[in-house]
């Protein structure tokens, strides 16, 4: 039987959240400390532990079928991989930064400047789209020290809090792109592999839906059941169970976590008591 090969980062900012994604879907995985290829014992996938920068090429060459990587790395790779899901973790942005003392009046600043970056393709395109030609210097690490050692006039790098820029005497002046973790796939998967991918996506979506929703239980006077059912949306309609106490019922439903706080005063106004809100582990719609 076919198995789907999924490339994830071996060790870095994406690793833990990528592994959690499988754990939450009840897919057992092994870590990549001792092995490059780690088969799951209970789902037809093999994890391939790689450096994040290598993931696009491995998928393009069909050594891996699917990968989890930063949008920044995907875009920089200029490969034709299809995005199958935005995963919402490892959020960061790619910024242009210049020495703090410099006056900045707009993108024209970068005309003819030397810019150090690990993302030459992204930066070149960003500037060309705005009619700016600059000298892009690709360097592979510690981009933020380039201006201090005279290697560049500016940098383009990933920023999450800005403290690294600050401590290197730089200031952020343009956001080039925002990034999050993506699940990408080779556009030509076999039907068997595509089916495994869809099964995986189904599980991921059930976990996501569960995170967004809570199971709610509350005691309500029978006279208020109808009014309360109308304000509680529920998946179909709420479950109503009689309580031992005469004239009261227990009402169960599912509510969106964000809506819950808006609902609560309204529920209490209708005499609801003993409200319990419980997490949901999986939710199949
Ligand atoms: P590798 O050894 O695999 O090449 P790396 O050093 O290139 O690792 P990491 O620093 O682990 O990569 O970052 C991986 C990805 O996580 C980045 O490509 C980016 O999408 C995202 N990322 C980077 N920095 C941050 C941050 N400060 N906050 C959130 N996400 C980040
Ligand atoms: Zn990397």
């Amino acid at each position: 039987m076919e198995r789907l090969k999924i490339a994830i980062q071996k060790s870095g900012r994406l690793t833990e959240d990528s592994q959690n994604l499988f754990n939450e879907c009840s897919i057992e995985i092994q870590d990549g400390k001792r092995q490059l290829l780690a088969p799951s014992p209970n789902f037809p996938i093999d994890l391939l532990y790689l450096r994040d920068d290598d993931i696009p090429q491995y998928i393009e060459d069909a050594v891996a079928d699917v990968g989890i990587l930063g949008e920044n790395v995907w875009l920089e790779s200029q490969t034709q991989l299809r995005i199958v899901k935005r995963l919402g973790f490892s959020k960061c942005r790619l910024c242009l930064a210049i020495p703090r003392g410099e006056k900045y009046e707009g993108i024209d600043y970068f005309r003819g400047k030397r810019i150090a970056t690990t993302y030459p393709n992204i930066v070149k395109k960003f500037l060309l789209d705005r009619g700016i030609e600059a000298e892009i210097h690709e360097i592979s690490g510690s981009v933020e020290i380039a201006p201090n050692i005279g290697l560049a006039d500016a940098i383009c790098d990933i920023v999450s809090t800005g403290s690294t820029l600050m401590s290197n005497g730089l200031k952020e002046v343009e956001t080039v792109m925002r990034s999050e973790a993506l699940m990408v796939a080779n556009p030509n998967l076999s039907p068997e592999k595509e089916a495994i991918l869809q099964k995986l996506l189904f599980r991921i979506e059930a976990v996501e839906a569960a995170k967004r929703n809570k199971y709610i239980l509350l005691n309500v006077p029978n006279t208020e059941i109808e009014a309360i059912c109308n304000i509680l949306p529920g998946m179909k309609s709420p479950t109503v169970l009689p309580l031992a106490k005469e004239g009261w019922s227990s009402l169960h439903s599912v509510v969106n976590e964000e809506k819950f706080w808006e609902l609560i005063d309204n529920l209490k106004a209708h005499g609801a008591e003993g409200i319990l809100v419980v997490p949901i582990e999986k939710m199949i719609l």
Side-chain angles (χ1 to χ4, degrees), residues 9-14 50-53 69-73 90-92 119 158-161 179-180:
Q9 193 186 23
K10 185 177 171 68
S11 157
R13 292 176 195 269
L14 292 158
L50 300 174
R51 283 201 53 203
D52 66 345
D53 318 68
L69 78 180
E71 199 166 349
N72 50 323
V73 171
S90 295
K91 285 196 170 156
C92 58
Y119 302 96
I158 286 175
V159 177
S160 56
T161 61
S179 176
E180 67 182 282

Side-chain angles (χ1 to χ4, degrees), residues 4 39 72 108 111 113 157 170 193 200 226-227 250 283:
L4 192 70
N72 50 323
D108 277 341
R111 219 175 278 281
K113 290 277 194 315
D157 203 9
L170 299 172
K193 287 184 172 181
L200 173 65
E226 207 182 320
S250 169
M283 186 161 154

Side-chain angles (χ1 to χ4, degrees), residues 162-193:
S163 61
T164 312
L165 290 184
M166 192 92 107
S167 58
N168 284 284
L170 299 172
K171 64 177 177 188
E172 182 184 332
V173 293
E174 296 282 344
T175 300
V176 173
M177 74 173 291
R178 289 178 191 283
S179 176
E180 67 182 282
L182 302 179
M183 182 177 281
V184 297
N186 185 299
N188 307 306
L189 293 184
S190 69
E192 293 83 3
K193 287 184 172 181

Side-chain angles (χ1 to χ4, degrees), residues 59-72:
I59 303 177
E60 185 126 278
D61 295 344
V63 177
D65 304 305
V66 171
I68 296 176
L69 78 180
E71 199 166 349
N72 50 323

